[in-house]
Amino acid sequence: MATNDLVTALRTELESVLKYVDIELISRSGWGEIDFKSARSDIEDALSISKDLNSMPLEYLTDGIASEIQASIPEVARYLQQIDEFSIASGGSPSENRDNICIQLHSAVDNFRHAASSQIAYLMYKRGDVGESIAKIEQAIAKSQNLYDEAKTWVDEKKAEIEKIESAARTAAASAGVGTFTEEFNGEAEKLQSQSKCWLYSSSGFAVATVFAAVLSYFWPSVDPDAGMSETLRNMASKAAVVVVLFTGAVWCGRIYRALIHQAAVNRHRALSLRTFQAFVEATDDKYVKDAVLMAATNTVFSNVPTGLVEERNNQDSGVNFVEFGRSAAEATAEQLRQG
């Protein structure tokens, strides 16, 4: 261990550096454009190492190491003093003087750093900082492990509950969605049903008008027995034109009525299909059965529905996609075999 006299001398040398801690050494107004920014890192290193060493139990150093550190400090203190006393009014070029001081300070700080840096970790250990830090780290690790174990236990306990909540949430969301679309289809069916009545009344009116016009044209206007062929043809053509227009209107309104009734029947069918899908889904917990029911319901809802009201062409009902259902079941079985 270092002697008391050597430790005292070493601390005295360190104080000669530390007295520049609160002194501005980088730039000053009296220097003008000249500054020591290029030496900033060396100045900071010299002050930092001196602070660290001065707070350490230097008595644990050997005499040789303490002497080596002590011998490297005066050069650092001397060049810091030169920076503190620097003046642009001194002889020679201020820039060259500044550069020379920076170069010499860099060399001195390198020697100081080489002598002291390797001993700081050892002195920190002897002071107890390393052991205290390790103890804190171990406590933090133990606390983190306890928190992890508690969280894992809580998750395991709540896993079943969370799965139930998730299942209930999905079911509620699905029910809400199905209910919404069911109401949409029912509402559209009622709207189309209401619109179709107007066209039914129009078609009936045109039909009555057609019959009335046909009967009326038989009696009026009458054809004069002495009229010529051209007059007779003109009279008959005008009567036929009126009857044809009224009959065409009746047929046209009747077709629109039939199309609207067809659409109303299709939308009611879709609403009923969604209710049926929801009932089947709620009756099973097997997701593959649910998938199969979903595919069947989707095909039923969005495929052409033959109502007999309009002519159906190329109506192909694919039915349940059992191939897809079987593939899903096979994938599930293969996954269970890999895990088991």
Side-chain angles (χ1 to χ4, degrees):
M1 296 177 63
T3 62
N4 292 334
D5 293 340
L6 188 55
V7 170
T8 302
L10 178 56
R11 292 192 184 278
T12 301
E13 295 294 342
L14 291 172
E15 290 295 336
S16 67
V17 174
L18 292 175
K19 68 180 183 179
Y20 296 103
V21 169
D22 298 325
I23 298 177
E24 178 58 51
L25 299 177
I26 303 301
S27 62
R28 295 178 183 176
S29 59
W31 295 344
E33 296 181 355
I34 302 298
D35 57 52
F36 287 86
K37 291 182 179 179
S38 60
R40 181 191 298 273
S41 60
D42 292 325
I43 295 173
E44 292 176 350
D45 284 351
L47 297 177
S48 176
I49 295 172
S50 298
K51 284 182 182 179
D52 291 339
L53 285 175
N54 198 42
S55 64
M56 300 292 176
L58 299 178
E59 60 273 10
Y60 287 102
L61 295 174
T62 64
D63 289 341
I65 294 176
S67 299
E68 182 182 359
I69 296 174
Q70 181 186 4
S72 65
I73 297 176
E75 288 291 313
V76 176
R78 182 159 66 90
Y79 293 119
L80 291 178
Q81 182 181 2
Q82 289 183 10
I83 294 176
D84 185 35
E85 297 174 353
F86 180 79
S87 174
I88 60 174
S90 60
S93 171
S95 298
E96 291 180 0
N97 293 337
R98 185 270 316 274
D99 293 341
N100 290 333
I101 294 174
C102 289
I103 293 172
Q104 292 169 351
L105 175 64
H106 180 72
S107 177
V109 171
D110 274 351
N111 293 333
F112 181 39
R113 186 187 299 112
H114 176 73
S117 296
S118 60
Q119 303 302 318
I120 291 178
Y122 170 72
L123 294 176
M124 288 179 63
Y125 173 75
K126 300 302 291 186
R127 192 176 64 178
D129 291 355
V130 175
E132 183 179 353
S133 299
I134 293 175
K136 290 181 179 179
I137 293 173
E138 290 177 347
Q139 291 176 359
I141 293 174
K143 185 177 180 180
S144 300
Q145 184 64 39
N146 291 334
L147 291 176
Y148 170 78
D149 293 339
E150 291 176 1
K152 186 174 183 300
T153 302
W154 182 86
V155 169
D156 291 340
E157 292 176 354
K158 298 296 182 179
K159 184 177 180 180
E161 182 178 350
I162 293 172
E163 289 178 350
K164 290 181 180 178
I165 294 173
E166 181 184 5
S167 178
R170 288 181 177 178
T171 302
S175 299
V178 171
T180 299
F181 287 109
T182 300
E183 293 300 324
E184 290 287 340
F185 284 130
N186 278 330
E188 186 66 18
E190 293 177 359
K191 181 180 178 181
L192 293 171
Q193 184 75 32
S194 177
Q195 292 177 356
S196 67
K197 292 180 181 179
C198 297
W199 293 101
L200 176 62
Y201 297 150
S202 299
S203 178
S204 300
F206 274 111
V208 172
T210 302
V211 174
F212 179 77
V215 174
L216 181 62
S217 65
Y218 181 78
F219 298 100
W220 182 86
S222 59
V223 180
D224 190 350
D226 297 331
M229 180 61 68
S230 60
E231 181 67 19
T232 302
L233 291 175
R234 184 181 65 80
N235 195 322
M236 293 178 61
S238 62
K239 293 179 180 181
V242 172
V243 173
V244 168
V245 169
L246 293 174
F247 179 75
T248 302
V251 173
W252 184 66
C253 292
R255 287 181 176 178
I256 295 178
Y257 166 75
R258 186 174 63 174
L260 292 175
I261 288 295
H262 169 76
Q263 291 296 326
V266 169
N267 280 283
R268 287 197 180 92
H269 170 75
R270 289 173 176 172
L272 180 60
S273 298
L274 289 177
R275 289 198 188 98
T276 306
F277 161 71
Q278 187 175 6
F280 276 109
V281 167
E282 291 177 353
T284 181
D285 294 330
D286 191 334
K287 66 177 182 179
Y288 298 109
V289 173
K290 291 182 179 181
D291 290 342
V293 174
L294 175 60
M295 286 186 288
T298 303
N299 180 72
T300 303
V301 169
F302 295 104
S303 62
N304 294 327
V305 180
T307 61
L309 295 170
V310 296
E311 182 180 358
E312 299 292 337
R313 295 180 179 178
N314 298 326
N315 183 24
Q316 297 179 353
D317 187 4
S318 60
V320 180
N321 193 341
F322 287 101
V323 174
E324 183 66 24
F325 174 69
R327 188 181 69 175
S328 300
E331 290 177 354
T333 303
E335 182 66 23
Q336 291 178 358
L337 290 174
R338 285 196 299 269
Q339 294 177 356

